[in-house]
Amino acid sequence: MNRLRETRVTLATALALCIAAAAAAACVCFAALGWSTPAVERKLREIDSIAVSQYVGELDEEAVADYAAVGYVAGLGDQWSSYIPADQYEQYRMNSEGQGCGIGVSVISTEDSIRVNLVYDDSPAAQAGIEKGDYIVGAAGLTVEADGADAVIDAIRGDEGTEVTVSVRKDGMDAVQELTMQRAVVTQKMAWGQMLDGNVGYIRIENFHVGAAEQFNQTLDGLIADGAQSLVIDVRHNGGGRVKEMSEALDPLLPEGTIMTLRTRDGHETVYSSDAEQLELPIAVLIDDQSISAAEFFAAALQEYDCATLVGTHTTGKGRAQQTFELSDGSAVNLSVEEYFTPNGNSLADVGIAPDIEVTLTEEQQADFYFLAPEDDPQLQKAVETVR
């Protein structure tokens, strides 16, 4: 089960937690590895010494080490780098590889509601009859009303092969269904499409995790076979993913040339390129302020090669690629290790991409983004108008 809501730990919060918890375990662990940053070692050793001799509470070494790691990464001042605790790393790893273990849904959650926005193909949820737009009101004896959305989402997660009973209410209905499912490893639904009026092929790319390019190209081939005469590709609310997946999805849409260049701190470059075979159809790409990383570069490459019109709002502006390093205790750090550049050599860091045609959504439309019908989506309607 994926949830499309993210909690960030601010630098101030992280440091406060580190100091309050007193980074005893972190000092012991890091010292054993040898320090390359004397200032960090000195600071943590001082806190450790004070905490061990003065702190009246009980030190939870694992918790202290986690918070110290959060503070260290936050101290880098890079919003794209992060620390992943050991109990979250497997879920993070599977998600980046386009998989998940659960009932096979993606949800939009607030404090008092959980609504399904995607049901993965051949998943336990799909087999049980759960549909996009359904509300999850409880699971495993817990309810959203009494226990909160977070508790219910946690209850739905679990090990492959175990059972969970989920309470589901259809949109606009009062009746609640109790559906018992067996958790399974499922493949995310990352790209899919449909034919719109006027033989406009619409393709939605949810992310660029492992397998996204294959799903995109299968969808593209299917729409072309069905007679699509133009394309609208939607990367709004797309948080990015793997550069390789993005490049493989772009390849059939671009002429021969550079797609993207990645550069390390020592100047080493990795260049992704497209071949000469190109599908020549009118294309519009939908972007917004939640189009991030690979989603931005997907749009930027098509714009710079003059192969598509960008419709929507200005993108985020991410200019660094991350690599995940697993630590000895099963936790991990996800660090920015490369800068990346568009085909024309431009960095999008803190700049992003401006659409060729700006179209905004109302606050109500933004709140209901995942559930808008095509005719109620002004950005999509403008994109369709552009390619006809």
Side-chain angles (χ1 to χ4, degrees):
M1 177 183 207
N2 286 348
R3 68 186 308 179
L4 299 177
R5 189 174 59 157
E6 183 179 3
T7 301
R8 293 187 180 274
V9 179
T10 66
L11 173 59
T13 302
L15 293 180
L17 289 169
C18 292
I19 293 171
C27 292
V28 174
C29 176
F30 293 158
L33 296 176
W35 285 84
S36 299
T37 50
V40 178
E41 177 185 18
R42 182 170 60 253
K43 178 81 72 174
L44 289 179
R45 283 191 179 279
E46 286 186 54
I47 296 172
D48 177 39
S49 176
I50 295 169
V52 169
S53 63
Q54 304 294 328
Y55 181 55
V56 296
E58 182 178 349
L59 281 173
D60 182 336
E61 293 188 2
E62 296 299 327
V64 167
D66 277 336
Y67 280 119
V70 169
Y72 186 102
V73 176
L76 297 175
D78 176 30
Q79 64 173 314
W80 309 113
S81 295
S82 60
Y83 169 74
I84 307 161
D87 61 356
Q88 298 176 24
Y89 178 60
E90 179 61 16
Q91 180 183 336
Y92 170 88
R93 184 193 64 77
M94 290 186 69
N95 183 60
S96 68
E97 294 180 359
Q99 293 187 319
C101 185
I103 63 173
V105 297
S106 175
V107 301
I108 305 295
S109 66
T110 64
E111 290 184 2
D112 55 4
S113 74
I114 304 171
R115 194 178 187 190
V116 175
N117 74 293
L118 275 179
V119 180
Y120 300 154
D121 296 338
D122 303 318
S123 65
Q127 294 166 10
I130 293 178
E131 299 174 314
K132 177 179 178 178
D134 288 354
Y135 288 89
I136 295 176
V137 298
L142 305 179
T143 67
V144 173
E145 183 179 11
D147 304 288
D150 289 345
V152 171
I153 289 171
D154 287 342
I156 293 173
R157 296 190 177 110
D159 296 330
E160 181 182 6
T162 60
E163 286 191 343
V164 61
T165 298
V166 180
S167 305
V168 178
R169 177 175 59 80
K170 298 291 182 182
D171 186 25
M173 306 288 287
D174 293 328
V176 174
Q177 296 176 285
E178 300 292 332
L179 304 175
T180 298
M181 290 162 276
Q182 189 174 81
R183 300 179 179 96
V185 174
V186 296
T187 299
Q188 294 176 17
K189 191 173 183 177
M190 294 170 277
W192 65 94
Q194 67 183 97
M195 192 74 78
L196 303 178
D197 292 342
N199 289 330
V200 177
Y202 169 82
I203 305 178
R204 166 67 183 167
I205 309 177
E206 188 74 10
N207 58 58
F208 287 101
H209 294 164
V210 174
E214 181 180 2
Q215 291 185 19
F216 173 82
N217 286 313
Q218 287 176 349
T219 302
L220 176 63
D221 291 344
L223 288 169
I224 296 302
D226 289 341
Q229 297 176 3
S230 59
L231 296 172
V232 172
I233 303 173
D234 189 350
V235 294
R236 295 174 297 176
H237 285 53
N238 180 318
R242 304 291 181 94
V243 173
K244 180 175 181 291
E245 297 293 326
M246 181 270 293
S247 297
E248 290 180 358
L250 269 175
D251 189 10
L253 307 177
L254 294 177
E256 185 174 8
T258 298
I259 293 177
M260 187 176 186
T261 301
L262 292 86
R263 186 180 302 147
T264 64
R265 62 185 295 174
D266 62 4
H268 174 75
E269 289 188 349
T270 301
V271 180
Y272 290 83
S273 303
S274 56
D275 60 29
E277 187 175 347
Q278 180 185 7
L279 178 67
E280 295 189 10
L281 289 178
I283 301 173
V285 179
L286 288 165
I287 57 174
D288 66 7
D289 63 351
Q290 295 185 57
S291 299
I292 302 172
S293 189
E296 296 178 90
F297 281 84
F298 181 92
L302 286 164
Q303 185 184 54
E304 290 187 352
Y305 277 105
D306 199 24
C307 292
T309 301
L310 307 191
V311 179
T313 57
H314 207 286
T315 67
T316 294
K318 183 170 183 259
R320 293 175 174 179
Q322 289 70 49
Q323 183 176 345
T324 302
F325 300 88
E326 186 173 357
L327 304 181
S328 59
D329 66 348
S331 61
V333 288
N334 194 38
L335 295 180
S336 295
V337 297
E338 294 171 304
E339 294 179 299
Y340 39 40
F341 303 89
T342 69
N344 289 345
N346 297 317
S347 172
L348 301 183
D350 302 319
V351 177
I353 313 167
D356 299 303
I357 303 174
E358 183 172 8
V359 181
T360 60
L361 300 180
T362 66
E363 288 187 9
E364 183 178 359
Q365 289 167 336
Q366 290 180 44
D368 207 33
F369 173 80
Y370 287 99
F371 309 102
L372 289 175
E375 61 271 18
D376 297 326
D377 184 340
Q379 293 175 331
L380 175 56
Q381 289 301 308
K382 175 56 74 171
V384 169
E385 177 188 323
T386 300
V387 298
R388 275 181 177 162

